[in-house]
C-alpha cells in the first residue's frame, strides 16, 4: 500500500472541513447511502514527459476504512477516516463524468476544460458475490444522476406557471407567489446548514452562483 503524502496546509484544512461537513450532512436523517470499499486508486497527472501513475489506498486498521457516500443532495464523497479522497457534486456530472463497471469495480473518468483524470474503486463484501452486488447498487445510484433525465409530466406541479415567472419570483425572493407546490424545500433546516457549508468550500461555487443569477435575469425578461 502506498502511504498518504502530506498535503499543502490550505488543501488539508479544506479537505478536513469538507469531510466534516459530509459526515454531518450524511448523518442527519439518513440523508444518503454509503458503501464500504476494499481499495481506491487514482491516476496522477499525465503530460508529454511523464506517464500517469496510480496511487492506491487500502482499507485497513491502521489508516481506517474507505467509504463511498452519495448524499441525497447529489454530493459524492470517498473518505478514509477523516481524510477526504474525492468530493464533488453529481448534479451536472453527466456533462463531464463517465463511469464504467466491471465485476466489483467502478472506473471513473472525468474531463473539465483541458484537464482529465481517472480513479477506480473496488467494493467490499462478505463474499465476491456480495461485493459485486454492492458495486451494482452504487452503479445504479450513480446512473440516476448520469442518465439523460426526462421526468414524466405528472411529476411536475399541477399549476401551469411560465418559467419567466418562476425566475422573477426567485430573484425577488417571493416563492409564495408560485403556489403551494413550490413552498416546500427539498432540504429541512437541519440538513441545509451542512449542505451549504459543503457548497461554500467548493472554490467554483461563487462563480456558479453568479452564473445562475445572470441566467435567471435573462429568463425573467422573457
Amino acid at each position: 500500500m502506498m502511504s498518504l503524502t502530506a498535503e499543502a496546509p490550505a488543501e488539508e484544512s479544506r479537505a478536513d472541513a469538507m469531510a466534516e461537513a459530509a459526515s454531518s450532512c450524511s448523518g442527519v436523517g439518513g440523508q444518503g447511502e454509503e458503501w464500504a470499499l476494499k481499495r481506491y486508486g487514482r491516476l496522477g497527472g499525465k503530460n508529454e514527459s511523464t506517464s500517469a501513475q496510480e496511487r492506491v489506498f487500502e482499507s485497513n486498521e491502521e489508516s481506517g476504512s474507505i467509504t463511498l457516500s452519495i448524499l441525497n443532495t447529489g454530493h459524492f464523497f470517498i473518505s478514509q477516516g477523516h481524510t477526504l479522497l474525492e468530493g464533488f457534486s453529481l448534479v451536472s456530472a453527466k456533462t463531464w463524468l463517465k463511469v464504467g463497471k466491471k465485476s466489483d469495480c467502478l472506473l471513473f473518468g472525468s474531463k473539465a476544460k483541458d484537464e482529465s483524470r481517472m480513479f477506480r474503486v473496488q467494493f467490499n463484501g462478505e463474499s465476491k458475490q456480495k461485493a459485486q452486488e454492492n458495486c451494482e447498487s452504487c452503479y445504479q445510484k450513480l446512473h440516476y444522476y448520469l442518465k439523460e433525465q426526462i421526468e414524466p409530466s405528472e411529476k411536475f406541479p399541477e399549476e401551469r406557471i411560465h418559467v419567466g415567472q418562476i425566475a422573477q419570483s426567485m430573484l425577488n425572493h417571493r416563492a409564495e407567489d408560485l403556489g403551494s407546490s413550490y413552498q416546500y424545500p427539498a432540504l429541512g433546516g437541519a440538513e441545509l446548514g451542512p449542505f451549504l457549508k459543503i457548497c461554500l468550500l467548493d472554490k467554483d461555487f461563487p462563480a456558479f452562483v453568479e452564473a445562475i443569477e445572470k441566467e435567471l435575469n435573462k429568463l425573467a425578461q422573457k
Side-chain angles (χ1 to χ4, degrees), residues 41-87:
R42 65 183 175 211
L43 289 174
K46 185 175 181 180
N47 53 42
E48 295 179 356
S49 58
T50 60
S51 298
Q53 295 183 346
E54 185 177 27
R55 296 182 61 197
V56 179
F57 303 88
E58 305 268 0
S59 284
N60 54 51
E61 293 183 1
E62 180 181 357
S63 300
S65 300
I66 302 176
T67 303
L68 188 159
S69 305
I70 300 178
L71 307 188
N72 288 348
T73 56
H75 282 81
F76 175 100
F77 297 101
I78 296 177
S79 58
Q80 184 172 35
H82 295 292
T83 302
L84 186 70
L85 301 174
E86 295 285 345

Side-chain angles (χ1 to χ4, degrees), residues 25-156:
C25 199
S26 61
V28 178
Q31 295 295 312
E33 296 184 52
E34 292 185 351
W35 294 266
L37 300 181
K38 185 175 182 179
R39 61 176 55 91
Y40 155 85
R42 65 183 175 211
L43 289 174
K46 185 175 181 180
N47 53 42
E48 295 179 356
S49 58
T50 60
S51 298
Q53 295 183 346
E54 185 177 27
R55 296 182 61 197
V56 179
F57 303 88
E58 305 268 0
S59 284
N60 54 51
E61 293 183 1
E62 180 181 357
S63 300
S65 300
I66 302 176
T67 303
L68 188 159
S69 305
I70 300 178
L71 307 188
N72 288 348
T73 56
H75 282 81
F76 175 100
F77 297 101
I78 296 177
S79 58
Q80 184 172 35
H82 295 292
T83 302
L84 186 70
L85 301 174
E86 295 285 345
F88 50 82
S89 173
L90 292 168
V91 174
S92 61
K94 63 185 178 184
T95 63
W96 55 268
L97 181 67
K98 301 293 183 182
V99 181
K101 179 174 71 72
K102 183 177 182 181
S103 185
D104 59 350
C105 296
L106 292 180
L107 177 65
F108 296 77
S110 65
K111 186 172 183 179
K113 297 182 179 179
D114 296 327
E115 182 181 354
S116 60
R117 61 188 301 271
M118 297 177 68
F119 65 91
R120 64 187 177 94
V121 297
Q122 183 176 13
F123 287 78
N124 230 333
E126 299 174 355
S127 63
K128 182 71 172 179
Q129 180 179 352
K130 184 60 177 177
Q132 291 175 345
E133 291 174 359
N134 292 337
C135 180
E136 176 64 22
S137 171
C138 182
Y139 183 72
Q140 291 302 322
K141 184 70 174 180
L142 288 165
H143 185 255
Y144 170 80
Y145 293 98
L146 300 180
K147 68 180 180 179
E148 291 292 334
Q149 297 182 48
I150 302 177
E151 298 288 349
S153 58
E154 62 267 22
K155 289 192 176 182
F156 284 95

